[in-house]
Amino acid sequence: MKLIAIGIAAGLLAAASAFAMDEPAKTMKTSAGEVYTDEKGMTLYVYDKDEAGQSNCYDKCATNWPPFKAAAGAMAMGEWTIVQRTDGTAMWAYDGKPLYTYIKDQKAGDVTGDGAGGAWHVAKPD
């Protein structure tokens, strides 16, 4: 009986670990506190002019604030959702807010876009 319980617990732990690894972003401590980053450690931002599940950042805006792209076949999970852009690409959103990186951030952990234009803010875990 103990072996079965241990096996079930190990299976649940492995499944939980796999789920955590599947999240599209990670967290990092920065001068702005703990923020979400992409796989390279580049800070993710939210834009006040976006609407829930909809990006309003295109053209020059998207050049300066590249969308946090979702790979083909990526699937939403929990608070992580996928936003379809009008240009046919897909991007990640957290809690309904589309996510972006910032062209002026040069290295992992930079947060130079926080507060830009009064409309851009680092994306933070709840």
Side-chain angles (χ1 to χ4, degrees), residues 6-88:
I6 291 170
I8 291 171
L12 290 173
L13 182 59
S17 295
F19 176 76
M21 290 172 32
D22 287 340
E23 287 187 352
K26 58 184 182 175
T27 59
M28 175 184 280
K29 291 186 188 229
T30 69
S31 61
E34 189 170 0
V35 302
Y36 280 117
T37 70
D38 67 8
E39 67 282 350
K40 297 175 188 169
M42 302 307 288
T43 300
L44 296 174
Y45 297 88
V46 294
Y47 184 41
D48 289 345
K49 295 181 181 180
D50 282 343
E51 298 170 33
Q54 179 181 332
S55 172
N56 288 312
C57 181
Y58 291 91
D59 304 319
K60 186 173 182 178
C61 177
T63 298
N64 292 322
W65 300 89
F68 181 37
K69 292 190 178 190
M75 300 195 46
M77 60 192 89
E79 299 289 334
W80 296 97
T81 55
I82 297 173
V83 173
Q84 296 300 318
R85 295 175 51 80
T86 60
D87 62 6

Side-chain angles (χ1 to χ4, degrees), residues 78-102:
E79 299 289 334
W80 296 97
T81 55
I82 297 173
V83 173
Q84 296 300 318
R85 295 175 51 80
T86 60
D87 62 6
T89 62
M91 67 185 295
W92 284 106
Y94 181 75
D95 197 22
K97 298 172 187 159
L99 298 167
Y100 308 83
T101 56
Y102 185 43

Side-chain angles (χ1 to χ4, degrees), residues 100-114:
Y100 308 83
T101 56
Y102 185 43
I103 197 167
K104 291 186 180 179
D105 283 349
Q106 297 297 306
K107 63 185 183 316
D110 279 355
V111 291
T112 62
D114 195 28

